[in-house]
Structure formats: structure tokens, C-alpha cells
Amino acid sequence: MAYAQVRDIPSTTLAPDPAPQPPAPLGPAAGPPAPRTPPSFRAVLHHRYCSRLLIASVAGRLPLGMMPVALILAAQEDGHSLATASLLAALYGIAPALGLPLLGRLADLRGLPLPCHLGAGVAAAALSALALTGTSNLPFAALCVTLAGAGCPPLEGGLRSLWPTLLPDAAHVRTAYTLDSSTQEIVYVTGPALAIAMAGWLSPAAALALAAAATLAGSIAFATARPTRTWRAVPRHRDRLGALRPPAMRPLLAALVFFGATVGALDVAGIAASDHHHAAWLAGALPAVFSAAGLLGGILFARYQPSTAPGPRHLILLAAGYATCWLPLLAPAPPLVILALAVLPGALFVPVLTVASLTLTSHAPPGTTTEAIGWLSSAMRLGLAAGTALAGPLGGHFALPLLAAALCALLFSTRTTTPAPLAATA
């Protein structure tokens, strides 16, 4: 999810412009005008390589959804308590926050294949070792879990760096970012379901092995595609801070931590609500409905998004609306009403994430797009872990996601710079 910029991303995957015009608009000299009607998801996938790269990226990211459930099931089978099993799952959730920015920076410096192959190899080896040895030896299991999480290949950031090189104009790029945000809902709905099915059919170890295979298969399919092999970021100024150098990046990333916390708190709120109403099905149905609403919200946003690049006003309004949508969930309500009310924030989740991601990468210095997306993913995952950790002691009340969403909206409104307009790259 990025504002497509020629100063940030080459206009073609074959070779960058040898003599860019610094003051020129961030797009090709003569590109097709943006369509009045936003392109559909189908229109994006119609372009060459888009379907392959999207499917490969989703497959390679499936372990992010599979592993927390698979780890809990594997640890419980080996005789560990639920608390210990949850700690392993939390460790896997936090570890990618350490590895993704580093692998993203490597991608911006050396191209995408190296970090994709390197990350996939480390993650798959760690998961395979865990599947073979189990979790009985907790220190070794924790090491494997940490390596598996930290080695997650930068498929999300890589794909969003590639979209502008594959699509003809800015409108298609924005729709592609919405599509990519929507597919994250698939990862976190399909992943747990696959882990549970594989653990029930064979064993939790088989679920871990499947996660290793998905990482390898998705990463190889992604990294061997021609656009991935030929893409290079524009030369960048060597800076230890990298994508974090602009001051506006810090409040944006802090806001995304709170944004991720809303989802982490939601899972615990579903468990608390199911206990309160003696409806065990509600614990799984609540996050499922939230995710389904996210998919629907992404489709609608792609269809009715602004004809020009979303600006700061759009981000603030969407974030404020997202926070407001949590208010009805504070009222006592029966389970079916709770599910209906969860549709409201769920429908705005993907639009907020899309516009926030576009804004974040618009501020990233030239040549740091993939790293910037790595920091975005890190912020979201830290927020997910923090939301889950805080929601338990607070009784799983819906006040926590409401508070996190409000703080997210507040931080989005404190940005000190205005994003550059999104222009087409072809």
C-alpha cells in the first residue's frame, strides 16, 4: 500500500529512468487519464502477473494466520498449559515485527528475491524442526518460533512495491492496494481454519508442516516471477533510520499500533461475550463477522473511492468513523445483535488500513517503500499482541477497542506534513 512515486519506485520493472526529472510530477510523462469510475478488483487482476503475485503473496502469508492456533494445539498436545501455549503463540505474533523491517530494507537495497528466499528458508526450516521435535523442549521450541516469525518473507511490502510497475495508472494502483488489504482478511480467516482442519485430520505437527510448505511455495512463486526479479528501488541515501527518518512517520506508526490493538482486543471481547451469554459459538463468530465485513468494506471502498488520491481529510474522517462505530457495542445486547453491530467497525477496517498505508508510504524517503511496509506490519502486529494482552485483565470489555480506535484517530490527526498526491506509474 503505497503512494506510487517515480522518485520512490521505478516506472518499469526492467530499468529505472536514467535521468529522472526531480521537479516533475510523480508519474509518466504521458499516461492515460484516470478513469472516472474506479477500476474493479477484476480489472486489476486482468493485468499480467497480478493474479500470480497476489495468490503467491497470500499463500506465503497464510502461516501468519495458521501459526497461533497451530502452536496452541501443538503445545497442548505435548502437555503444556494453555498459558504456556498462548505465550508461544504470542512470541510468534511479535517476532515478525522484528524481522519484516530488516528484510524490507534488504529488499530495497538488493532487490526482492534475496530477502524472500532467505526469509522463507529460515522460516520453513524453523517450522519443520518444530513439527519434527514438538514443543516438549520449551527453550528450543521458543527459538524455533522466534526464527519462524522473524523470518517471515517481505511478501506484503514486496507486492505493494510492485503494484505501480504492473498497472497503468494511479486509479488501478489504489484499487490494487485495497484488494491487497482485503486479502489480509482471508489470511486471518482461512489460516486458523486450515490449522484446525489439519490438526483434527492428522495432527498439530502436520499443521506446522503445512505452514512451512505454504511459506516456501508462496515465497518461491512470488520471488521467481519476472517483475519480482527485475524490480529495483531507486538509489537511496544510506541512513540508519531509513524509512523512519521523516518526522510524520512516527505518529502514523503509533496510530497503527492502536489500530491493530482494536482487532487484538476484539478476539478477547468475543470470548468474554460468549461466556457472558453462554453462547460458545459467539467467540468464533464475532471475529469471523468482523472479517467478512472487512471484505465487504474493501469491495465497496474500491467501487466508491475518491477519483483522486485520498488525502489527510479522508484518513481522519475514516478513522473517526471507525472509532464511532465501536460505541454501539458498549450497550448490553444479545449475541445476534452483537454480531450485527460488529459489522459497523468491520466494514471500515479495510478502508482505514488502505488509506493509512497509502499515507505512510507517501512519507517514506525514496527507495524505502518495502521497508516502510515492513514497519507498518510491525506496528499492526505489536498492536494485535498488546490488544490481546490488555483485553484479558480488563475483562474483554468493548471499551478497550473503542479507546484504541479513538487514540488511533487522534494520532492520525497530528501528522505534521501533507502527503504528496498519488500519480500513475506505468
Side-chain angles (χ1 to χ4, degrees):
M1 295 173 222
Y3 274 98
Q5 303 181 37
V6 165
R7 64 178 174 85
D8 193 38
I9 301 173
S11 59
T12 171
T13 60
L14 297 177
D17 186 352
Q21 300 291 332
L26 305 177
R36 292 183 178 180
T37 302
S40 64
F41 288 170
R42 181 179 297 180
V44 168
L45 295 175
H46 175 74
H47 290 271
R48 191 179 183 191
Y49 293 112
C50 287
S51 295
R52 170 181 172 172
L53 289 169
L54 180 65
I55 293 171
S57 174
V58 170
R61 284 183 278 166
L62 269 179
L64 292 172
M66 294 177 62
M67 282 301 295
V69 174
L71 282 171
I72 289 173
L73 295 175
Q76 287 183 315
E77 185 179 71
D78 290 335
H80 296 298
S81 67
L82 179 59
T84 301
S86 298
L87 285 176
L88 284 177
L91 184 60
Y92 179 82
I94 295 173
L98 305 175
L100 283 173
L102 296 178
L103 290 173
R105 179 174 291 197
L106 180 61
D108 288 326
L109 292 173
R110 300 294 178 87
L112 286 165
L114 175 60
C116 287
H117 290 312
L118 176 64
V122 170
L127 290 174
S128 298
L130 197 60
L132 290 173
T133 63
T135 62
S136 298
N137 186 333
L138 271 180
F140 181 73
L143 175 63
C144 290
V145 167
T146 302
L147 290 174
C152 286
L155 301 177
E156 183 179 5
L159 180 60
R160 292 168 191 175
S161 295
L162 289 174
W163 284 130
T165 70
L166 301 171
L167 298 168
D169 54 50
H172 281 79
V173 171
R174 290 195 297 272
T175 297
Y177 296 146
T178 308
L179 171 61
D180 197 6
S181 297
S182 300
T183 59
Q184 291 195 53
E185 302 291 344
I186 297 175
V187 169
Y188 291 104
V189 172
T190 305
L194 274 177
I196 292 170
M198 184 60 69
W201 180 39
L202 294 175
S203 67
L208 296 173
L210 178 61
T215 299
L216 274 181
S219 299
I220 291 173
F222 184 89
T224 55
R226 185 172 181 269
T228 308
R229 290 184 285 108
T230 56
W231 177 87
R232 291 294 183 273
V234 297
R236 57 183 285 180
H237 174 68
R238 296 300 177 92
D239 184 349
R240 283 184 299 177
L241 289 178
L244 298 179
R245 169 62 63 185
M249 296 289 282
R250 295 149 206 173
L252 285 169
L253 287 170
L256 287 165
V257 171
F258 287 112
F259 187 59
T262 63
V263 182
L266 175 69
D267 293 338
V268 181
I271 295 172
S274 68
D275 291 341
H276 177 74
H277 293 284
H278 305 288
W281 55 269
L282 185 59
L286 187 61
V289 166
F290 185 90
S291 297
L295 286 172
L296 177 60
I299 293 170
L300 293 175
F301 183 73
R303 178 65 180 82
Y304 297 107
Q305 64 181 305
S307 58
T308 57
R313 179 173 60 88
H314 297 100
L315 178 58
I316 294 169
L317 288 175
L318 284 170
Y322 181 71
T324 303
C325 286
W326 287 99
L327 279 171
L329 284 161
L330 296 181
L336 290 178
V337 174
I338 292 175
L339 288 182
L341 293 176
V343 170
L344 299 176
L348 283 179
F349 180 82
V350 168
V352 174
L353 180 58
T354 300
V355 178
S357 303
L358 288 167
T359 304
L360 181 80
T361 46
S362 76
H363 290 297
T368 64
T369 301
T370 315
E371 180 189 341
I373 296 299
W375 284 113
L376 180 151
S377 300
S378 296
M380 290 288 294
R381 296 193 70 80
L382 287 173
L384 282 164
T388 301
L390 290 173
L394 295 177
H397 200 277
F398 284 107
L400 181 58
L402 169 62
L403 176 61
L407 291 172
C408 171
L410 179 63
L411 284 168
F412 278 146
S413 68
T414 63
R415 288 179 301 106
T416 57
T417 58
T418 301
L422 177 62
T425 58

